[in-house]
Amino acid sequence: MTEVIPHNSFDTILVLDNGSQYTHLITRRLREINVYSEMLPCTQKLADLGWSPKGIILSGGPYSVYEKDAPHIDPAFFDLGVPILGICYGLQEIAHRLHADNVVAGTAREYGHADLQATRFGGHVDKLFEGLEDAMTVWMSHGDKLCNLPEGFHTIGTTKNSEYAAIAHQTEPVYGIQFHPEVTHTPQGGQLLKNFAVGICGAQQTWTMSEFIGQEITRIRNLVGPTGQVLGAVSGGVDSTVAAKLMTEAIGDRFHAVLVDNGCMRLNECAVVKDVLQKQLGINLTVVDASEEFLAGLKGVHDPEQKRKFIGGKFIDVFEEEARKIEAKNAGKVEWFLQGTLYPDVIESISFKGPSQTIKTHHNVGGIAERLIAGHGLKLIEPLRELFKDEVRELGRQLNISPELVGRHPFPGPGLAIRVLGEVTKEKVDAARHADHIFISMIREAGLYDDIGQAYAALDPSRAVGVMGDKRVYANIILLRAISTKDFMTATPYPFSYEFLTKVSTRIVNEVQGVCRVAYDFTSKPPGTIEME
Ligand SMILES: Nc1ncnc2c1ncn2[C@@H]1O[C@H](COP(=O)(O)OP(=O)(O)OP(=O)(O)O)[C@@H](O)[C@H]1O
Ligand SMILES: O=c1[nH]c(=O)c2[nH+]cn([C@@H]3O[C@H](COP(=O)(O)O)[C@@H](O)[C@H]3O)c2[nH]1
Ligand SMILES: NC(=O)CC[C@H](N)C(=O)O
Ligand SMILES: [Mg+2]
C-alpha cells in the first residue's frame, strides 16, 4: 500500500533547491494558494524520488552555472515530461544545459527592483504571464545573465539589463525567469506562481488543513498499528499541543502526553495547561512535578550551555521513567515518541546550504528525541514535519483548540532557567516569573499580545542601588524583552510607547521582591538572540 503522506495524496510541486535564501518561500507561496509543495536539495536524483511531482521549480542559488563545482539538476528531471519553471539560477541552469555559452557573468550586478516588459506569442507560451499586466515590477538578485536565447525558446519578458529576463519553450512547458516571483517585492509574483502551478501544471488546490487532518490521522493509525503506545513530551506550546490533539484524535488514550514541571515554568503554567489539555481537549496528560530535582541540579551551574545540557538530560530521565510506568500499567511496550518537528527544521537539515553553526543547543530541549530513541529504543513520530508554523496554527483552529492557545508566544523548553542569568535559584526564578506575569498581563490588557512575536521578563542578578520609601535598597534588575519577527531567525525590538514601559516598570519595582530597576532590551537579532542565554 502507498503510504498516506502528502506528496502521495495531494498534487505536489517539487522545488529543487539550488541554495537560494528564498527557496522555502516558493514552497510557502504555493501552499498559501492551497497547492502542496515540497522542497528537496538540487542533488536529488529522480530515480530516488519515489513519487510523481505535478511540476518542478528550480530555485535560485549563489553559484554560477558555468563554475567548475556548480551544482546541476539531474537531467532525468528534464525528461520527465512535467512542466518546469527555472527561477534565476534555475533559468540559467535551463539555458546552460542547452549550450554552455548561453550564460555569462554580467557587467553589472542587478539587485532590487526592475521593470519587466512582457511579450505575448499566443498559445501555451503565454500561460506563465496570463492575466498579468504587460509592464510589471519584478525583483532581481543576480550577477550572471543569459547572453543568448536558448534554442527552441521565445523571449517572453525583457528588462533594461536582461534581454532574456523571461523565456518559454516554443512547444514544451518549460519556462525560465531571471527575477524572483516568491518575494513580496514582486507584486504579481504570487499570481505568476499560481499560473505555473495551477494553469500550467494543472495542480489541484486541495491542500487545506481540514483535508490534511483526515489524511494524517489515517497515516498515524497505519504507522502505530492497532495496539501501539505513543509517548509525547507536551509543553502546552502551540506545536506540541496541536501534535498531541492530532494524536488523540488518531489513537485516543494510547497516546500518553507528559508535561514536566521543571520548576522554571511561567506562573500557573502547569495547572492551566493541564486543565486545558485534559478538560477542553481530552488529551491523556500526566503532569510530572520534577521541579525540586531540576532546581537542585541547577545549583552551582552558571554556564548557559551547562544549564541547557543538564535540563535536557533531566527531561530524558523523567520521560524514560514515565515510559516505564506506562508500560507497567499497560503491560505493552511504548514503541513511539511524538515530536513536534516543523517543516522549517526539516528544511534546515535538507537545504543545499549545508549545516549552520550552533549558537545554542536548541531544538527539543537539547535533543530529547535522539537520546530517548537511542536509550529506550523508541521510534519517532512527527505529524507536523511537513507544516509551516502558520499552517500548524490553522490546523490547531481546525482541531478546535482555542485561539488563545493557538496564538501563544513560543516558550523555550528550559523555560525561566535561561531567563535568569547565571546560577538559577528558586528565589530568582520566582522574581522572574512574577515580573513576567506582570509584563505579559499588561501587554494583554493593552491589546498588544498578538502584535508581538515573543515577550518576557528576565532577571539579571547583578545588583544596583535604589531608594524605596526613603530607604537605601541594593537589589536585582529585571530585563524586559519583546520582539517583532516573521520567523524567529531575525527580530527587532518591539516599539512600545514610553508611557507603557513606564507603567510596567513602576508595577514591577513595586510588586516584585528583590528588584529595584527595570530595563528594556533594545537589541535586534542579530546580534542579540531572542532569549538571554
Ligand atoms: N515542560 C515540558 N514538558 C514536556 N515537554 C516539553 C516541555 N518543554 C518542552 N518540551 C518539549 O520540547 C519540545 C520543543 O519545545 P518548543 O518550545 O520548541 O515547542 P512547543 O513548546 O511545542 O511550541 P512553542 O514553540 O509554541 O513553544 C516541545 O514540543 C515538547 O515536546
Ligand atoms: O524549545 C526550545 N528550546 C530551547 O532550548 C530554546 N532556546 C530558544 N528557544 C526559542 O527559539 C527561538 C529563538 O531563540 P534565540 O534567538 O534565543 O536562539 C525563541 O522563540 C526562543 O524562545 C528555544 N526553544
Ligand atoms: N539569485 C540567483 O539565483 C543568482 C544566480 C547566480 N548566482 C547569479 O548571480 O546570477
Ligand atoms: Mg515551547
Side-chain angles (χ1 to χ4, degrees):
M1 192 187 82
T2 326
E3 211 194 334
V4 187
I5 32 182
H7 59 226
N8 287 332
S9 36
F10 294 89
D11 285 352
T12 304
I13 304 294
L14 171 63
V15 177
L16 290 174
D17 174 35
N18 290 304
S20 162
Q21 310 264 5
Y22 309 118
T23 309
H24 68 283
L25 288 180
I26 306 172
T27 305
R28 294 202 63 137
R29 292 290 97 83
L30 292 170
R31 290 194 190 185
E32 279 163 15
I33 55 161
N34 307 106
V35 172
Y36 186 66
S37 166
E38 264 181 32
M39 167 184 148
L40 288 170
C42 55
T43 47
Q44 176 69 42
K45 295 277 174 277
L46 176 64
D48 301 331
L49 189 63
W51 53 277
S52 308
K54 278 297 258 190
I56 299 167
I57 297 182
L58 314 178
S59 84
Y63 307 89
S64 289
V65 273
Y66 47 77
E67 282 170 338
K68 194 161 74 42
D69 296 325
H72 295 290
I73 301 296
D74 177 3
F77 282 109
F78 290 94
D79 300 329
L80 193 58
V82 303
I84 295 181
L85 171 65
I87 296 175
C88 201
Y89 184 92
L91 156 78
Q92 296 164 5
E93 172 76 357
I94 290 171
H96 177 81
R97 64 185 295 276
L98 294 176
H99 202 292
D101 292 341
N102 281 345
V103 181
V104 292
T107 45
R109 279 186 63 84
E110 196 174 12
Y111 189 89
H113 285 292
D115 295 314
L116 183 111
Q117 185 62 41
T119 311
R120 318 273 170 181
F121 290 84
H124 93 278
V125 171
D126 291 348
K127 279 188 155 178
L128 193 63
F129 290 164
E130 200 167 280
L132 307 189
E133 283 153 29
D134 280 346
M136 35 185 135
T137 302
V138 297
W139 195 84
M140 297 271 202
S141 171
H142 68 119
D144 300 329
K145 61 194 237 178
L146 267 59
C147 57
N148 299 310
L149 179 65
E151 203 183 320
F153 280 78
H154 282 307
T155 303
I156 56 169
T158 53
T159 67
K160 221 162 103 201
N161 201 338
S162 303
E163 203 178 329
Y164 312 106
I167 63 172
H169 195 274
Q170 291 165 7
T171 53
E172 289 159 27
V174 179
Y175 303 80
I177 50 182
Q178 186 58 70
F179 57 91
H180 289 268
E182 69 275 24
V183 301
T184 47
H185 309 288
T186 300
Q188 302 197 72
Q191 181 62 40
L192 187 152
L193 287 172
K194 183 174 176 187
N195 284 348
F196 177 71
V198 181
I200 295 167
C201 301
Q204 290 190 49
Q205 293 168 277
T206 47
W207 173 248
T208 58
M209 283 305 110
S210 57
E211 275 295 313
F212 174 78
I213 291 172
Q215 306 243 353
E216 188 57 16
I217 287 174
T218 310
R219 187 183 81 96
I220 293 168
R221 285 182 183 152
N222 289 342
L223 204 60
V224 175
T227 55
Q229 309 282 333
V230 182
L231 178 71
V234 173
S235 65
V238 181
D239 308 339
S240 52
T241 303
V242 171
K245 179 67 182 159
L246 200 54
M247 289 303 298
T248 303
E249 299 277 316
I251 60 167
D253 276 1
R254 285 189 288 129
F255 173 62
H256 308 266
V258 177
L259 169 70
V260 180
D261 183 348
N262 58 12
C264 301
M265 308 295 276
R266 288 170 289 194
L267 194 69
N268 298 331
E269 175 107 34
C270 293
V272 171
V273 170
K274 183 176 172 184
D275 192 63
V276 172
L277 268 59
Q278 274 183 346
K279 292 211 188 109
Q280 291 181 27
L281 300 176
I283 294 169
N284 172 17
L285 175 85
T286 307
V287 179
V288 180
D289 181 0
S291 53
E292 278 177 19
E293 283 168 62
F294 274 88
L295 290 171
L298 285 166
K299 202 161 182 263
V301 185
H302 293 260
D303 176 68
E305 282 298 288
Q306 288 299 332
K307 287 197 218 172
R308 284 171 176 275
K309 279 217 178 73
F310 165 75
I311 293 170
K314 194 86 221 156
F315 265 118
I316 295 166
D317 297 345
V318 175
F319 287 122
E320 290 195 323
E321 166 102 39
E322 282 311 303
R324 282 191 290 270
K325 281 191 199 158
I326 294 162
E327 286 173 354
K329 259 191 263 165
N330 287 290
K333 182 149 174 52
V334 177
E335 285 175 78
W336 299 89
F337 181 70
L338 169 86
Q339 178 160 273
T341 313
L342 301 191
Y343 202 50
D345 305 328
V346 177
I347 285 182
E348 176 149 2
S349 61
I350 62 171
S351 89
F352 191 60
K353 276 178 289 192
S356 45
Q357 208 199 339
T358 304
I359 307 292
K360 298 177 185 181
T361 315
H362 243 227
H363 287 304
N364 316 310
V365 222
I368 294 184
E370 290 77 356
R371 288 184 41 196
L372 271 177
I373 288 157
H376 205 87
L378 295 163
K379 288 171 277 185
L380 207 55
I381 187 159
E382 301 177 308
L384 311 178
R385 65 175 281 122
E386 279 95 13
L387 308 185
F388 288 106
K389 188 90 175 184
D390 49 337
E391 292 175 321
V392 172
R393 292 205 153 112
E394 176 56 27
L395 181 59
R397 284 187 279 270
Q398 297 272 341
L399 289 166
N400 291 323
I401 299 176
S402 70
E404 201 170 299
L405 222 166
V406 163
R408 263 186 126 184
H409 293 174
F411 183 68
L416 300 175
I418 55 170
R419 296 176 177 176
V420 166
L421 300 183
E423 190 190 7
V424 176
T425 64
K426 183 163 186 309
E427 293 67 38
K428 291 182 204 168
V429 171
D430 284 344
R433 179 185 285 135
H434 190 178
D436 183 74
H437 183 68
I438 293 174
F439 186 36
I440 299 298
S441 312
M442 291 181 79
I443 285 176
R444 283 198 191 278
E445 283 156 21
L448 301 174
Y449 190 85
D450 292 339
D451 204 30
I452 294 172
Q454 193 169 350
Y456 67 86
L459 183 89
D460 179 350
S462 314
R463 288 198 286 173
V465 173
V467 50
M468 290 169 85
D470 282 341
K471 262 209 199 121
R472 177 185 190 272
V473 290
Y474 186 44
N476 296 150
I477 304 163
I478 287 291
L479 304 173
L480 302 179
R481 185 136 172 82
I483 48 107
S484 301
T485 182
K486 273 212 163 70
D487 54 9
F488 296 88
M489 301 295 286
T490 62
T492 51
Y494 186 78
F496 288 116
S497 72
Y498 179 81
E499 289 71 22
F500 179 79
L501 286 174
T502 311
K503 274 190 213 148
V504 175
S505 164
T506 306
R507 266 197 68 186
I508 290 176
V509 171
N510 284 333
E511 295 175 35
V512 182
Q513 280 291 321
V515 169
C516 71
R517 304 241 176 160
V518 175
Y520 184 53
D521 183 349
F522 261 104
T523 323
S524 295
K525 172 182 180 175
T529 55
I530 294 172
E531 299 295 342
M532 287 290 151
E533 290 189 339

